Amino acid sequence: MKVLKKIFTRFNITIVLMAVQAVVYVTLINRFVYFIPIIALIGYVISIIIILRLVIKDEAAAVKIPWILVVSAMPILGTILYFLFGSKHLSRKIKKRLAKENALTVKHLPTNCSLQNSREEGCLKYIRKTSLYPAYANTETKYYPLGVLMFEDMLAEMAKAKKFIFLEYFIIEEGQMWNRLYELLLQKAEEGVEIKLIFDDFVSQRLFTSTFESTLWTKKIKTVRFNPISPLFRPFMNHRDHRKLLLIDGHTGFTGAVNIIDDSIQPSEKFGVWKDTGIRLKGDGVWSFTLMFIEIWNCFCKPNELIQDYTTYNNTEVFATDGLVQPYGDSPFLSERIGENVYIDILNHAKDYVYIFTPFLIISEKMIYALQMAARRGVDVRIVLPGKYDWMRAIAQRVSRSYYKYLLNVGIKIYENPTGYLHAKNFVCDDEIGIVGTINLDYRSLYLHFECAALLYQTSTIQALKQDAIKTMEAGGEVKHDGSGHIGSTFIDVIIHLFAPIM
């Protein structure tokens, strides 16, 4: 019986139904084209329109070219695939909700934080101008080089909660980490603390069955499924909530790479020591993260669960600070690619060094050029990637390595973390600016997912980021060769490199 329950889960059934649906689509297309030639003609006309639209579209060429090839080679099937996986079309309902909630977010953002502060410059001004998320003083920061260190502080801060605890996570899996967190949430809910939890439905639904979700509600833990998956293909299903946020009483917030999975806090045979990093904020800067949470909650919650009184969740306490902190978010429906543009701006203005942690290296020509130009100016550019992968991530490793040749030949140093899998997403530059968040150097993070990060400017925490990067690199694992081999291997790399942006 237990085996059957594991097999016949909502997730597995959905995947099977989607696969069957894909086969049906292809079969019907072939039959209609064969018996009704006018269908083929209409399909060809639509495919030409899509190709022309892609040509003039303001998007990275590396994203457009694979779709142009797919639609050109398979006009009818390629057109359907593009509408399902390439288009950023939004349902009217979701679009209306997002627009409404974003307007409320903007309305509640402070307008006088540090706008006149002479230290707010470069990418800080860019984030402020494009998203209106300000840079804050009165915000204390603490950096965590490992997930286990951050998790213990997360539990300690949650135990002190008096008013509310908000959680928003991409992956939540059953295990030691979730069990400890769940036990504490139950305790705080009984104490009268307001608990709200957002989870991404695609990757977290194994734990959050309908039955378990009902149990949570009865225990005063309110939940929201971000973008519920459906057996019916929908373009919006391609966009996931990749954020990781824990917010407590309006004054304390955690973000970074740490999901609620045991790999984040304990070594495993498969990955060794999983290298996650994170950041804790205490003070005014938590407000921007709180507004991001409320925006998503109100978009996907039940009508009677809408958050309307925002002021209940704001911070009124004073904390020490020695720099500026600027939390910011990114989504596929903004006109600006904020995550990518901030990274590029840091590279364009770097003078001494840029150290980068990322689990994937699947980047646009703009990012490649920015990395190359920084190195050619004499900036010490170093990138640290995972040293261990499982079979599910083997293709991602192969794709990442196909980019090495563009970077090694201009003097950029690449390291593969020797102790295990690296899941961190950090930038640190010139002892002045740092970023800790959820934004990978890959197309899904930069173009398709909802993301968040904390930008640190002239804070003492930046030295902790730098020293962690140096320590990780000194452990070994520097890559000296781009890995190119015989002609067959090179051909495979070319193909996966070409289609990586739409994988």
Side-chain angles (χ1 to χ4, degrees):
M1 186 62 70
K2 289 184 178 180
V3 174
L4 290 176
K5 284 185 177 180
K6 288 184 178 180
I7 294 174
F8 293 102
T9 62
R10 177 170 168 259
F11 178 83
N12 292 339
I13 291 171
T14 300
I15 295 300
V16 170
L17 289 175
M18 291 176 71
V20 170
Q21 191 179 172
V23 172
V24 171
Y25 281 164
V26 173
T27 303
L28 289 176
I29 290 167
N30 289 334
R31 293 213 175 250
F32 273 117
V33 170
Y34 183 78
F35 289 108
I36 312 175
I38 190 66
I39 298 294
L41 178 60
I42 293 171
Y44 288 130
V45 172
I46 294 174
S47 67
I48 291 171
I49 293 172
I50 289 174
I51 290 169
L52 293 175
R53 182 176 178 274
L54 282 166
V55 169
I56 64 172
K57 192 175 182 181
D58 183 18
E59 196 165 53
V63 176
K64 296 192 288 187
I65 290 173
W67 281 118
I68 290 173
L69 290 174
V70 169
V71 176
S72 300
M74 304 176 293
I76 297 176
L77 181 59
T79 296
I80 292 174
L81 290 172
Y82 175 74
F83 278 122
L84 291 175
F85 302 109
S87 172
K88 293 179 182 176
H89 174 72
L90 205 59
S91 72
R92 288 184 181 180
K93 182 179 178 182
I94 298 293
K95 189 175 183 179
K96 187 177 179 180
R97 280 190 174 186
L98 276 173
K100 177 184 176 182
E101 294 307 322
N102 186 253
L104 288 172
T105 295
V106 170
K107 181 181 176 181
H108 286 88
L109 282 168
T111 58
N112 59 350
C113 277
S114 57
L115 192 58
Q116 306 304 319
N117 194 315
S118 61
R119 293 185 297 166
E120 188 181 36
E121 57 185 40
C123 56
L124 286 83
K125 282 187 176 179
Y126 166 75
I127 294 171
R128 175 72 166 189
K129 184 176 181 181
T130 55
S131 69
L132 299 183
Y133 289 116
Y136 297 85
N138 186 31
T139 306
E140 174 189 306
T141 58
K142 180 178 180 179
Y143 173 70
Y144 300 94
L146 290 172
V148 64
L149 302 176
M150 178 165 153
F151 182 55
E152 294 304 323
D153 274 10
M154 287 166 59
L155 295 175
E157 295 293 340
M158 288 170 62
K160 295 184 287 186
K162 302 295 184 184
K163 297 189 296 182
F164 71 89
I165 298 173
F166 290 166
L167 304 99
E168 182 177 352
Y169 282 90
F170 181 52
I171 305 176
I172 304 177
E173 291 182 356
E174 190 169 6
Q176 176 188 338
M177 191 175 184
W178 166 249
N179 291 340
R180 293 181 66 190
L181 189 69
Y182 181 42
E183 182 180 358
L184 186 53
L185 288 176
L186 291 174
Q187 176 189 327
K188 301 309 291 186
E190 283 299 314
E191 293 174 8
V193 175
E194 180 183 1
I195 311 292
K196 284 183 165 61
L197 168 63
I198 301 172
F199 61 92
D200 187 274
D201 190 47
F202 187 76
V203 288
S204 297
Q205 62 166 285
R206 293 182 187 275
L207 173 62
F208 292 95
T209 62
S210 298
T211 302
F212 183 54
E213 196 172 5
S214 297
T215 300
L216 291 174
W217 278 81
T218 62
K219 295 181 181 296
K220 303 176 185 178
I221 298 175
K222 297 182 179 181
T223 60
V224 156
R225 292 177 182 266
F226 176 87
N227 192 13
I229 67 168
S230 165
L232 296 175
F233 281 119
R234 294 181 295 122
F236 187 50
M237 283 176 60
N238 204 27
H239 306 297
R240 310 313 314 176
D241 184 1
H242 195 243
R243 295 173 181 171
K244 294 95 177 165
L245 287 172
L246 170 63
L247 309 167
I248 302 163
D249 287 353
H251 56 63
T252 300
F254 294 83
T255 192
V258 181
N259 283 298
I260 310 300
I261 56 175
D262 285 354
D263 284 331
S264 291
I265 62 169
Q266 61 188 26
S268 66
E269 292 182 11
K270 186 165 54 177
F271 291 116
V273 177
W274 183 299
K275 175 71 172 172
D276 265 334
T277 61
I279 193 87
R280 185 188 70 191
L281 310 185
K282 283 198 171 191
D284 292 352
V286 178
W287 180 232
S288 286
F289 281 144
T290 304
L291 289 174
M292 289 179 212
F293 178 93
I294 293 173
E295 185 175 309
I296 296 298
W297 177 272
N298 283 353
C299 280
F300 291 94
C301 74
K302 302 172 185 176
N304 62 333
E305 292 295 336
L306 286 170
I307 294 174
Q308 295 179 338
D309 183 8
Y310 287 54
T311 57
T312 305
Y313 306 103
N314 207 343
N315 169 57
T316 57
E317 298 186 33
V318 177
F319 292 87
T321 183
D322 59 351
L324 297 177
V325 181
Q326 189 170 29
Y328 63 98
D330 196 6
S331 92
F333 306 111
L334 295 174
S335 58
E336 295 279 333
R337 300 272 61 83
I338 294 176
E340 182 179 46
N341 289 343
V342 169
Y343 285 161
I344 288 174
D345 187 79
I346 290 173
L347 289 163
N348 287 344
H349 292 91
K351 297 180 178 64
D352 183 19
Y353 72 88
V354 179
Y355 299 155
I356 302 166
F357 284 171
T358 178
F360 308 111
L361 188 67
I362 307 172
I363 50 179
S364 68
E365 65 276 12
K366 291 190 298 181
M367 183 66 73
I368 293 172
Y369 183 72
L371 288 162
Q372 290 175 333
M373 286 303 297
R376 285 174 174 143
R377 292 198 316 272
V379 177
D380 179 15
V381 181
R382 305 186 188 189
I383 305 172
V384 186
L385 290 116
K388 290 186 178 182
Y389 291 80
D390 63 0
W391 65 271
M392 294 180 66
R393 295 177 176 86
I395 294 177
Q397 180 188 37
R398 185 71 176 262
V399 177
S400 295
R401 287 177 175 173
S402 72
Y403 286 85
Y404 286 8
K405 57 181 173 288
Y406 301 111
L407 308 178
L408 292 173
N409 60 9
V410 295
I412 294 173
K413 293 182 179 180
I414 297 174
Y415 298 80
E416 293 182 349
N417 181 38
T419 61
Y421 189 68
L422 181 138
H423 188 244
K425 308 97 168 49
N426 288 11
F427 262 60
V428 60
C429 173
D430 293 348
D431 293 354
E432 184 173 73
I433 193 166
I435 293 176
V436 182
T438 69
I439 310 171
N440 299 321
L441 283 179
D442 68 56
Y443 284 93
R444 298 205 68 83
S445 264
L446 298 174
Y447 289 83
L448 295 176
H449 288 335
F450 288 75
E451 304 280 1
C452 67
L455 185 148
L456 313 171
Y457 185 69
Q458 294 183 348
T459 69
S460 57
T461 318
I462 291 167
Q463 281 300 315
L465 270 73
K466 179 183 180 181
Q467 294 307 315
D468 184 34
I470 291 171
K471 180 180 178 181
T472 304
M473 291 182 289
E474 285 179 346
E478 183 176 357
V479 176
K480 297 293 187 179
H481 187 263
D482 62 25
S484 57
H486 55 77
I487 189 169
S489 175
T490 302
F491 177 75
I492 292 172
D493 283 346
V494 168
I495 297 301
I496 61 175
H497 187 92
L498 177 61
F499 289 100
I502 64 174
M503 293 171 65

